Amino acid sequence: MNCLRMEDIRMNNLVEMALTVLSLEDSLIDFEIICAKLAGAGYILNISRVDTDHDFTDAVTNNQYDIILADYNLHGFDGFHALIIANQYCPDTPFICVSGSIGEIMAVELLKNGAVDYVLKDRLERLPYAVKKALEEAKSRLSRRRIEESLRQSEEKYRTIFENVQDVFYQTDLNGMFREVSPSIKYFSEYTAKDLLGKTAKDLYYDPEERRILVETIQDKGEIRDYKIRLKTKTGEIRYASINARLICNPSGEPDHIDGALRDITERVKAEETLLISEEKFRNVFENHVAVKFIIDPETGKIIEANKAASKFYGWSIDELKQMTIADLSTISFEKALGNIQKISKDERINFEFRHICKDRTIKDVEVLTSRILIGEKEFLHTIIHDISEKKKAEQRLNLLSLSIEQSPVMVLITSPEARIEYVNQSFCTTTGYTAEEVIGENPRILRSGKQDETFYRNLWATILSGEHWSGEFQDRKKNGELYWVDASISPLVDQEGQITHFVMILEDITGKRKMMQDLITAKEKAEASDRLKTAFMNNISHEIRTPLNAIQGFAPMIIDPSNTQEEKEQFVDILNRSSHRLIQTVTDYMDTSLIVSGNLEVVKKDFSPIRLLEQIRQDYQSRCNEKKLNLTIIFPQTDNRVMIRSDENLIQKIVSHLMDNAIKFTRGGAVTVGLSITQDSFEFFVKDTGIGINEDALTSIFNFFMQEDNTNTRAYEGSGLGLSIVKGIVKLMGGTIRTESIKGAGSLFVIAIPGEITTPILVEPGQKLPLANHLSHPLILIAEDDDSNYMLMELILKSYFQVLRAETGREAVEMCRQTSAIGLVLMDIKMPEMNGFTATGEIKKFNPGLPVIALTAYAEIGMHEKCLEAGCDGYLTKPVNKESLFTTIAKYGFVTNNLI
């Protein structure tokens, strides 16, 4: 039998069953094939198809599925991200990757991250079997979880019973040494369980001889039941206990220990003793008791005996009452009265409420409590009657109050003095999600959110336990985990003796109110911050932009002035370069500040090499340090040089750049040191200088916008004062911390710690080919640029080494790449007419994915690098670009000329 036949047998073994499926598939044909395969295997399908990130997320958050079948490669989305979403919203739903092409490494990664299987589209005959296996495994996992949860609840239940039951459970060894004893021993003996553990039980027995007999009986019979014995408390008081105990043997059959339970029967013993005396005094008690009492013949309802209290209550004499039946006193008929007596005789009911008529014809509400007694050989009814007229009126008032509380829009919670919940109203249940049954008997701490510390609760309880009222606001947690704010008013209820009997909590859900107030405060703070930033910006921008512009406008004409020497012209060019750099940095700082303040700055994490980062710092700042005769020291991390960090490299470079700029700017002589260290889940880098230092009282203010330590008009150092505020904003966004140390006149140290995952380096496999340099004599480069001056600059830089074409619109760039196969690289401006650079790059990559496209744009804000890469660009350069940076970037992508090698 061949493999196909075996698969057919497996498919035929699938029983018909309904199956709800979510298919993440962008190919309608593949989707229909999948449906046919599953239907052919006997499944009754209810299948939904989605093909985007948004639709997939919406589907798994709003619906339940038996299984998810996901293609791996989709436009703008893939199966790995779909698995992450599925694990978040429906972790119990089996996830199978159904893809046309997926490498083994990625398949293993999918399985490691929660996928149950993967099926290639050219082997879809496996799909029904894979689905069947996944459903069976999911069912098995669910069954195991239910069993585990049941065991946990059972253990918790019996532990709760052990710790809270009134009877005392204990275990001793054969010598009477306590191994285990329940906390309820405290209420019986005044010893705590901790007092007794490891101690002998003989000290609890009033008479050692009684204990000896008890132990012998257990050893002889193996157990005792309802064994009455005298014990003594910690203070020496005698108490009676009923003990049930059993001798427990080890697996070898030898006696090992004794398990037992004791119940306090002191009151029962005393009652039995009292009963003997009470029988003699019954007549006296009956006749002179303040409660109304009758002895009634159950067969006729006739009153056999009545006491003095009955005569006083009803107005008839005792003799007159003894001539009446109980029905004569009631407003109900004789037949109904006898029917109630029959219920008492059958133990169906022992208490009733009636309306009784007195001799003066007044009607009173009474409660009748009845028990059967034997007098001689005849059974009679002993009846006690209580006047409940006032109780009835109070009940009506209480019912009105209860309805008011139960239907109140605020939450009402009542606890015992021991903080056990005894009552909650409907508003409480609606707000918290708990039912009354779930919280009755629980401590209110089940609502705690963890947002208030223990000191808060100690102060609260100290206040109400002292009899005082407490009010305030705090945050609680609903049953579903959602947090909410309450305005609480907690008061103790005190009885006539001044003892606290209950605590009443009135709780109003003010989450909406607080959110509204917080929104108002936030909006106000943002408005004020925006106003302050706008004012500072307007005050600062004039100086920081006009100053370098003044130098540029002043020295530019002097370059072509023939009266100036060549040396002077070179000096003018240097001034123009430095002024241009300052102007670009100022504009970039303003853009970065705008992104941070507006909250639009995003962290884009990817793997990068810390060694490469430090080498880049050396390359960028060595010449500047040399100009100022500063020693630049780089301290590399003590790790594998191939180790990678997963974080936002561009933001980290931005942080280091600002710190390095400041270190070099404010250091006249000495050294600048930058270093980086790596831990398990974070990395830390520092920049240290021997510069002018910072006063201690300025260490906080220097991180504010537009601030330097010397913020006067006569300050010695240029700059917008935005660098450290940008550093602070980026570090906060990345979840990191800043530590600053400085000694005035001796230098400063800035230490930045940022969370980051340390990843394993990806090694090049043997035989794997790296990008080769393009050694064409004059490679062809397409410059997509609509601005004439920018194109002219790029043409002047490139024309000696490359052939150059120009496209003035994004659409023209796409068509030229489509029609000119000789184009080896594209320099793409982002802002262009007809079609922007993002769209143009995407179109080019559709028909020529291997063609390198380098974004060349004046958009220099944080995050633009990532946007360009997401659009399909292979590299990124910001305008203005210098020749060295341009050729370095071109070479990085394997595209150089023989003249530059």
Side-chain angles (χ1 to χ4, degrees):
M1 183 178 290
N2 57 34
C3 295
L4 181 59
R5 178 62 60 89
M6 181 65 71
E7 194 68 16
D8 290 339
I9 290 174
R10 292 173 179 167
M11 291 171 59
N12 292 332
N13 286 337
L14 294 174
V15 296
E16 285 195 2
M17 63 175 288
L19 187 65
T20 303
V21 183
L22 176 61
S23 174
L24 178 59
E25 178 59 66
D26 58 357
S27 170
L28 186 58
I29 294 176
D30 289 348
F31 173 71
E32 292 176 349
I33 294 174
I34 289 171
C35 293
K37 287 292 183 182
L38 294 177
Y43 288 108
I44 302 172
L45 293 179
N46 177 12
I47 186 165
S48 303
R49 183 178 75 89
V50 296
D51 58 7
T52 66
D53 181 356
H54 176 270
D55 291 345
F56 181 79
T57 302
D58 182 67
V60 297
T61 54
N62 294 298
N63 302 281
Q64 291 185 344
Y65 299 95
D66 296 324
I67 197 162
I68 297 174
L69 306 178
D71 193 358
Y72 184 78
N73 295 307
L74 301 99
H75 183 67
F77 192 38
D78 59 37
F80 195 85
H81 289 87
L83 177 58
I84 293 174
I85 295 170
N87 285 339
Q88 178 180 358
Y89 294 104
C90 52
D92 294 329
T93 303
F95 185 103
I96 297 178
C97 180
V98 182
S99 179
S101 59
I102 180 171
E104 290 186 3
I105 294 177
M106 183 52 66
V108 170
E109 285 301 314
L110 287 170
L111 295 176
K112 284 182 179 179
N113 285 274
V116 300
D117 204 345
Y118 70 94
V119 177
L120 298 179
K121 290 184 177 179
D122 58 359
R123 291 291 307 279
L124 284 178
E125 61 270 13
R126 279 194 65 245
L127 182 59
Y129 177 72
V131 169
K132 178 176 181 290
K133 180 182 177 184
L135 294 176
E136 290 173 348
E137 290 177 351
K139 182 178 179 180
S140 176
R141 286 195 300 272
L142 179 61
S143 177
R144 287 197 301 271
R145 280 202 301 274
R146 288 176 176 171
I147 292 172
E148 290 169 358
E149 178 63 18
S150 176
L151 289 174
R152 185 193 65 77
Q153 291 178 356
S154 177
E155 180 181 351
E156 182 178 342
K157 178 179 72 174
Y158 287 112
R159 171 56 60 181
T160 301
I161 292 173
F162 177 79
E163 293 181 349
N164 295 282
V165 71
Q166 291 183 351
D167 288 354
V168 179
F169 293 96
Y170 67 90
Q171 183 183 100
T172 68
D173 62 17
L174 298 181
N175 295 319
M177 194 73 69
F178 279 107
R179 293 181 178 177
E180 189 82 24
V181 62
S182 62
S184 53
I185 187 67
K186 178 179 179 181
Y187 304 106
F188 178 83
S189 67
E190 299 174 1
Y191 289 101
T192 65
K194 185 177 180 180
D195 293 336
L196 297 177
L197 290 178
K199 306 290 180 60
T200 180
K202 65 181 181 181
D203 294 336
L204 290 178
Y205 288 87
Y206 176 75
D207 186 346
E209 180 63 18
E210 290 182 2
R211 176 181 179 273
R212 185 188 65 78
I213 297 173
L214 179 145
V215 172
E216 288 181 354
T217 303
I218 294 176
Q219 292 175 342
D220 181 45
K221 297 183 178 181
E223 66 176 0
I224 57 173
R225 291 188 176 277
D226 199 17
Y227 192 96
K228 180 175 149 182
I229 198 166
R230 291 178 295 173
L231 301 176
K232 61 182 179 181
T233 67
K234 189 175 184 179
T235 58
E237 178 187 355
I238 299 175
R239 301 193 70 82
Y240 290 89
S242 170
I243 295 181
N244 293 317
R246 175 178 292 179
L247 183 65
I248 306 299
C249 296
N250 61 24
S252 301
E254 299 175 350
D256 181 76
H257 65 273
I258 296 173
D259 285 342
L262 66 86
R263 175 172 294 179
D264 186 357
I265 60 169
T266 304
E267 296 303 322
R268 189 183 84 186
V269 172
K270 291 181 179 179
E272 290 172 351
E273 294 173 350
T274 302
L275 182 61
L276 295 175
I277 299 173
S278 68
E279 289 178 352
E280 300 175 3
K281 299 180 178 179
F282 175 75
R283 172 59 62 181
N284 183 54
V285 171
F286 178 82
E287 292 180 349
N288 296 292
H289 202 280
V290 294
V292 176
K293 292 188 175 185
F294 292 125
I295 303 295
I296 299 173
D297 186 341
E299 296 178 359
T300 62
K302 182 176 176 57
I303 298 174
I304 304 301
E305 290 288 348
N307 68 353
K308 296 176 183 178
S311 175
K312 181 179 179 181
F313 181 75
Y314 287 101
W316 284 288
S317 67
I318 294 177
D319 290 336
E320 287 175 324
L321 289 170
K322 291 168 67 174
Q323 300 300 315
M324 302 168 64
T325 67
I326 194 66
D328 295 330
L329 301 177
S330 180
T331 56
I332 64 175
S333 66
F334 180 78
E335 289 76 13
K336 288 185 178 180
L338 284 180
N340 290 330
I341 291 174
Q342 293 301 318
K343 292 180 180 179
I344 296 171
S345 299
K346 296 177 182 179
D347 287 334
E348 294 180 2
R349 191 171 176 184
I350 62 171
N351 67 303
F352 299 86
E353 290 185 3
F354 297 110
R355 306 198 75 196
H356 277 191
I357 303 172
C358 299
K359 187 174 182 178
D360 61 5
R361 308 313 294 172
T362 59
I363 297 177
K364 297 181 178 180
D365 291 296
V366 297
E367 179 184 36
V368 179
L369 303 175
T370 304
S371 60
R372 294 180 296 169
I373 61 172
L374 285 174
I375 301 178
E377 297 296 327
K378 184 174 174 56
E379 186 179 89
F380 292 90
L381 301 180
H382 177 221
T383 302
I384 302 175
I385 295 175
H386 296 297
D387 184 359
I388 60 170
S389 301
E390 292 302 319
K391 176 185 173 184
K392 282 289 186 181
K393 294 177 182 178
E395 285 180 350
Q396 292 175 355
R397 294 193 296 270
L398 185 61
N399 185 55
L400 178 62
L401 178 60
S402 176
L403 288 175
S404 300
I405 294 175
E406 186 64 27
Q407 299 176 14
S408 173
V410 298
M411 293 176 278
V412 179
L413 183 148
I414 301 176
T415 75
S416 67
E418 295 77 27
R420 294 295 174 187
I421 298 174
E422 296 185 1
Y423 171 82
V424 292
N425 68 347
Q426 183 58 44
S427 179
F428 174 91
C429 298
T430 302
T431 301
T432 66
Y434 288 101
T435 64
E437 291 76 13
E438 289 175 321
V439 298
I440 297 300
E442 297 291 338
N443 191 294
R445 69 168 61 95
I446 65 173
L447 302 172
R448 287 189 183 181
S449 64
K451 300 298 184 180
Q452 291 77 224
D453 58 20
E454 288 300 323
T455 302
F456 172 86
Y457 290 105
R458 281 198 297 270
N459 293 337
L460 185 157
W461 279 102
T463 300
I464 60 177
L465 286 171
S466 68
E468 298 295 326
H469 170 80
W470 185 93
S471 62
E473 297 179 359
F474 53 82
Q475 202 170 19
D476 272 349
R477 188 183 302 276
K478 298 181 181 180
K479 181 180 179 181
N480 62 6
E482 180 183 345
L483 299 179
Y484 66 103
W485 281 93
V486 294
D487 183 3
S489 176
I490 307 176
S491 301
L493 297 183
V494 181
D495 61 17
Q496 294 179 348
E497 297 178 356
Q499 298 297 316
I500 295 175
T501 63
H502 294 85
F503 294 108
V504 178
M505 304 182 187
I506 308 298
L507 310 171
E508 181 184 1
D509 185 353
I510 59 169
T511 307
K513 292 182 181 179
R514 284 185 65 95
K515 184 178 184 304
M516 180 177 65
M517 291 300 298
Q518 188 59 47
D519 289 346
L520 290 174
I521 292 171
T522 302
K524 179 175 178 292
E525 291 175 349
K526 285 185 176 180
E528 291 175 347
S530 177
D531 187 60
R532 290 194 299 271
L533 184 61
K534 180 177 67 175
T535 301
F537 175 80
M538 295 305 296
N539 292 336
N540 184 277
I541 193 172
S542 177
H543 176 270
E544 292 304 321
I545 290 183
R546 286 177 179 272
T547 298
L549 278 178
N550 181 62
I552 293 171
Q553 289 182 331
F555 284 101
M558 293 184 181
I559 294 176
I560 60 175
D561 188 339
S563 64
N564 294 318
T565 66
Q566 182 63 30
E567 181 180 353
E568 289 174 330
K569 291 179 180 180
E570 291 176 357
Q571 184 180 3
F572 299 158
V573 170
D574 181 62
I575 293 173
L576 286 174
N577 285 333
R578 284 188 282 109
S579 298
S580 298
H581 176 76
R582 178 180 176 183
L583 181 60
I584 292 170
Q585 187 61 48
T586 298
V587 174
T588 301
D589 287 348
Y590 288 146
M591 294 171 64
D592 291 347
T593 300
S594 175
L595 286 173
I596 292 171
V597 172
S598 64
N600 291 323
L601 182 60
E602 297 180 354
V603 177
V604 180
K605 294 184 179 181
K606 61 181 181 180
D607 292 347
F608 70 91
S609 167
I611 305 301
R612 187 184 66 187
L613 174 65
L614 292 174
E615 290 290 359
Q616 186 65 45
I617 293 172
R618 186 199 302 276
Q619 179 180 340
D620 293 343
Y621 289 96
Q622 184 67 66
S623 60
R624 290 179 58 185
C625 288
N626 293 340
E627 289 176 5
K628 296 189 69 173
K629 296 182 173 53
L630 301 176
N631 292 324
L632 175 61
T633 302
I634 307 293
I635 299 178
F636 292 88
Q638 301 299 312
T639 60
D640 186 340
N641 287 343
R642 299 168 301 171
V643 75
M644 305 289 280
I645 297 175
R646 181 161 296 163
S647 187
D648 193 319
E649 182 180 12
N650 291 328
L651 293 184
I652 294 169
Q653 287 179 331
K654 181 76 68 172
I655 294 172
V656 176
S657 296
H658 283 295
L659 295 179
M660 288 294 294
D661 287 343
N662 284 351
I664 294 172
K665 180 196 300 183
F666 295 107
T667 302
R668 297 190 181 96
V672 174
T673 304
V674 59
L676 186 144
S677 61
I678 299 174
T679 62
Q680 182 71 20
D681 54 4
S682 67
F683 59 95
E684 182 177 275
F685 59 86
F686 70 89
V687 176
K688 183 178 181 181
D689 64 64
T690 59
I692 63 174
I694 306 167
N695 284 322
E696 184 176 355
D697 56 2
L699 287 178
T700 301
S701 62
I702 58 173
F703 289 99
N704 296 333
F705 291 112
F706 308 112
M707 288 296 295
Q708 293 185 9
E709 181 187 12
D710 181 3
N711 211 36
T712 65
N713 292 332
T714 59
R715 67 188 184 196
Y717 297 94
E718 65 181 27
S720 63
L722 290 173
L724 288 180
S725 64
I726 293 173
V727 169
K728 178 182 177 182
I730 296 175
V731 171
K732 180 179 179 182
L733 179 66
M734 299 182 75
T737 59
I738 304 176
R739 178 167 57 87
T740 307
E741 299 176 8
S742 185
I743 300 176
K744 190 64 178 179
S748 302
L749 170 67
F750 289 84
V751 182
I752 309 296
I754 296 178
E757 181 182 353
I758 309 306
T759 61
T760 303
I762 300 175
L763 302 178
V764 178
E765 296 294 338
Q768 181 178 345
K769 294 183 178 180
L770 295 173
L772 298 176
N774 189 330
H775 293 285
L776 298 175
S777 58
H778 283 79
L780 180 59
I781 293 180
L782 173 64
I783 302 174
E785 175 62 70
D786 62 322
D787 185 84
D788 292 336
S789 59
N790 284 336
Y791 171 73
M792 183 180 298
L793 174 62
M794 296 305 299
E795 183 183 29
L796 287 171
I797 294 174
L798 296 172
K799 68 180 183 179
S800 297
Y801 310 100
F802 303 96
Q803 300 180 66
V804 176
L805 290 178
R806 180 187 184 186
E808 297 187 26
T809 69
R811 192 177 306 280
E812 185 179 351
V814 173
E815 292 305 317
M816 292 179 72
C817 288
R818 193 190 307 274
Q819 297 172 10
T820 308
S821 60
I823 294 175
L825 184 139
V826 179
L827 297 176
M828 180 70 72
D829 187 20
I830 297 303
K831 183 179 179 182
M832 288 190 297
E834 297 186 17
M835 180 185 292
N836 64 43
F838 291 144
T839 305
T841 300
E843 292 297 319
I844 292 170
K845 290 294 185 177
K846 288 180 181 179
F847 59 81
N848 194 351
L851 178 61
V853 178
I854 299 174
L856 186 61
T857 177
Y859 292 118
E861 69 267 22
I862 300 173
M864 179 53 69
H865 190 177
E866 287 72 21
K867 291 180 182 178
C868 291
L869 296 182
E870 289 174 3
C873 296
D874 301 282
Y876 170 78
L877 287 171
T878 59
K879 299 176 183 177
V881 63
N882 58 50
K883 182 177 180 179
E884 180 182 356
S885 298
L886 178 61
F887 283 129
T888 299
T889 302
I890 291 175
K892 186 186 300 183
Y893 295 96
F895 197 87
V896 298
T897 72
N898 291 325
N899 295 339
L900 296 176
I901 296 176

